[in-house]
Every structure is written in structure tokens, then in C-alpha cells.
Amino acid sequence: MKNSTLVSILKAGFEHSYADLSKKFYEPSMPHPVPEPVLQKYNLELGRELGFNFTEKTPELTDCLAGNLIFADANPIAMAYAGHQFGNFVPQLGDGRAILLGEKTAPNGKRFDVQLKGCGRTRFSRGGDGRSPLGPVIREYIVSEAMHALGVPTTRALAIVSTKEQILREDGVHPGGVMTRVASGFVRVGSFEYFAARSDEAAIRNLTDYVIARHHPELIEKKDRYRHFFSAVAKKQAQLIAKWMQLGFIHGVMNTDNTSVSGETIDYGPCAFMDYYDPNMVFSSIDTMGRYRYANQGAVMKWNLHCLGISLQSLLGKTEEEITDVINDVLASFNKEFLYAQRVGMLKKMGIENPEDQDSSLLGELLALMQAQKADFTLTFRYLADHTGQNSNITPRFQALFKSQDGVEAWLKTWRQRLEKENAPEVIQEKMNRVNPLFIPRNHRIHEAIKNAETSNDFTQVHILTTLYKNPYTEQPDFSDYAQAPAGKERITRTFCGT
């Protein structure tokens, strides 16, 4: 498939285990060149973690990350998958604007997929242009790297390339961009649905064996490895969604083709962190019915896992009753794991590490106060740590988040009494500050960074945000304004996926 005029002198050390599968799993696909590419951001730290010896000045690196050249050892492919989009099944989706260059084994022995996104049409583009506006590239870079720093399993961002292309979308014309992103794997729930829709049981078995060997080698010799695999995927997803919820993160487009079986956050699109607390918060412009609202994310993931179970049914049992029992058992375990992880995580945000029965009511009362008064989700929990002791000279920044103090002081008194059963105040405060970030990717800050980059080719704010979010739990006095919630007119209430 390689065109010699497109091959770079650079080698990345790529391997190609996915391309070693049957071609029914993918389509060989070359990236399409872009005009005047500029490497605006290269994640040198991540590059070194992966074992790359490149820098921003490496000859031909920009062209390789733009798709104008391919690495000498790349084998570009577009992966096939299907998916339920907003509950409706689409039998063929696939990488319509992304190309897997290959797999890189890092110095620590872990294997990662490296993918270009926005590099042109593939067989799966379905009439799309295969491109990405610069804005969504910037958003995904900033948010995915912030999520990594926040301790959330996620795809990573290696590079941003801007182009001179003009990309037409529903909200206007935008400059183009190409992103290089990295994941422990890009196999999705939709990858299994693709072959289930074609009744290709052999392909489902091959794909499952591949994922087990790559992500769960401890299961290879187990008698019921396919059931264990399904259970392992469900457990990872339960823990992932709980982490999202504890940070006020709303994915926005939790389709099954956007659900990675590796348990990483993938395909950020119209994602956002909510400012003030509202369990029904929605940002995505295409989620008109609120299917993927904040409070529904656990239920949606359970639904997605049911789709995975149905796709795996030929591997889960010999009778319909047996298969149904396996799927129901895994979904019940998911529900239990998710609710447990969510409760434990939220109570830790309040400084409680030894939960008692009444603690859920205490948490519920705080969330009710926050919702009623539109208190900022992130800062409420961060500033709450100020009150772990009895210091009467505390700056009342926690109370200032509430328009009315009705119920606030009474809640604080009850909460302090509860903390007396925990640890020393200074220990509690330190632990709270380790799980409650001060800095999150605020929508209005990302919007400003994108606007400056698109209109003035000014990436200053992109660089500031990516540096700032490397340490989201640390006070950074020079950037204290970046911790603050947006003023009324600054709030961004709608986000777009850029497809």
C-alpha cells in the first residue's frame, strides 16, 4: 500500500499486530496530504514515555504527523466497527477520519496504538470529508492530557498540526487540524457489534482473543476466559464512569462506537466539565434529548455493556438461558461496582474514608444545596477542605459559592462533627486536596484558546492551559484566575463534535 513518494526517512519503531488480523477487521488507508502544515504542539514528555527520540525540530516529523509523509515503518489502516449512536444501530461506521499508523512498545513494555485523526477520507467516511477543524483537535489535546493528569484512564495527545485547509461545518468555516493520539488500544464495543451484525462468529472469537492477549493476558489459560473478559471490561468501565462523575465530567456522546474496551476515555468530541452542579447538565449540541446527561452516564454505560454482551453471546454460553444469565450477572456486577466506586469516591471528596450508613445523606444534602444555588462543582469540594479544622480566621471562599447561607452553616457543622471520627484535620485537608482539583479544563478557557488559535494563529493560551493542567491539584498563584468559574456571559453552554 505504500507509495514511495510518501515515505519518510523517519522510523518510529512501529509494530502491527492488529494489521496481522484478517483484512475484514480494517481497510489499508493512506493519509491525504494537507497544505502548509505547522507543528503547533508536540508532547515531548509523552513521546519520551513511548520511546520516541523525536523533537519538534526533527526533520520530516511535521509532515509525518500531518499525513503528508508516513513513517518508514508505518502500515496505515482504518479500523472497521459499527455502533449504537443515541440508541440507534448503525451497522457500518469505522475510522472515517482516523488512521492507525501502528503500535509502539514503550520502554516499560506496554504497547500503545498511535493514530492520526483528521488526516483525510477512508472507506468508512460515509460521505464525510475525513478532516477535522482545528478547534476539536485543540479541545481533545487539552482535555485528554488534563484527564491523564487528573488520574483518569484516557487516550493521550501527542501532537497538534494546523493546516491551511478550510473546513466547512454546521457552525461555519474553520482552519484545519490533524491530531496524533495514543491509546492502549482503539478496539471499541462497536468493533464487536460490527461482526455480530454480520453473524461472523469466527471474527468475534478472533477479535476477543486478540483483545484478551493484549489487555488481559492473565485470562488466556482460564476455562471461561470469554466470560471473564466481559466481566473485566465491565469492571473497568464502572470505575471509569465513577471517576468521570467525581470530577463533574460529561462525555457528551457515549455511543457504543465511542466506548473503548480497554477502559479508557476516548473520542472527546462535545465533552465538557460542568461549572455549577446540575445532575441533568448537557453540553453536546446533538444530545437534544439529554440521553448522555451527567447523571445518566452510569445507566448508559450499562446499556452499552449489554450491547457488548449481546455481541459476545456465541462465546458466553450454549443456550439462550445460559447466555442471558451470564449477561445479567455481569450487568448486575457492573451496577454494584459503579455505585460502590461512585459513593466511595464522592465521600473521599468530603474527607470521609471510612463510610458509614448516614454519609450518603450528608453527601446528598450538600449536592442539593449546590444544585439549588448553582454552586460550582469543582470549587465547592476544593474549598470545603478549608473547613476541616476549627480555624475561625478562614477566608469564607466556600460560603461565597452559595448565594444564600440558608442551610450552609448547619451542614458544615454536621460535616465537621462527622470528620471527628476520621483523621486529624490537617491530614484530612491534605487528602481532600489530592482528590479535589483546583484547575479543570473550563469550557470558556478552552473556547478562548480555540478562538485565538483559529482567528489569530495565537497558541499562547493553548500552551498555558496544557502546562497548567499538568498539575491540577496544586495551587498555582500566578494562574489563580484560571481556577475560577466563568461569569454569566462567559459560560459556554453548547459544545460541538467537529465531525
Side-chain angles (χ1 to χ4, degrees), residues 207-258:
L207 182 60
T208 308
D209 285 340
Y210 174 85
V211 176
I212 288 175
R214 184 160 172 183
H215 297 292
H216 300 282
E218 73 282 358
L219 302 181
I220 292 175
E221 300 300 326
K222 284 190 175 290
K223 181 180 178 182
D224 294 326
R225 63 182 181 277
Y226 299 123
R227 296 184 185 186
H228 285 290
F229 164 69
F230 184 29
S231 180
V233 172
K235 184 174 183 179
K236 282 189 174 183
Q237 291 295 343
Q239 295 169 344
L240 177 67
I241 306 305
K243 286 181 180 290
W244 289 1
M245 304 282 281
Q246 291 154 28
L247 293 167
F249 176 77
I250 304 167
H251 184 277
V253 60
M254 289 178 64
N255 301 328
T256 56
D257 55 296
N258 297 332

Side-chain angles (χ1 to χ4, degrees), residues 136-153:
V137 170
I138 291 172
R139 174 179 288 275
E140 182 162 349
Y141 189 108
I142 292 172
V143 179
S144 63
E145 285 303 292
M147 290 284 269
H148 173 70
L150 287 163
V152 181

Side-chain angles (χ1 to χ4, degrees), residues 444-487:
H444 67 298
R445 293 293 182 183
I446 296 175
H447 180 77
E448 178 186 18
I450 290 172
K451 182 179 179 181
N452 291 348
E454 286 193 338
T455 60
S456 307
N457 196 35
D458 180 359
F459 283 76
T460 303
Q461 286 299 313
V462 174
H463 298 310
I464 287 174
L465 294 181
T466 52
T467 300
L468 180 67
Y469 298 145
K470 287 181 179 180
N471 298 289
Y473 297 99
T474 304
E475 297 276 354
Q476 301 180 60
D478 291 343
F479 297 95
S480 58
D481 286 351
Y482 287 79
Q484 300 308 307

Side-chain angles (χ1 to χ4, degrees), residues 91-113:
Q92 180 168 302
L93 294 167
D95 288 333
R97 56 173 179 160
I99 291 175
L100 178 64
L101 297 177
E103 301 144 25
K104 177 69 174 175
T105 300
N108 64 5
K110 294 182 179 180
R111 182 184 291 256
F112 295 90
D113 288 355

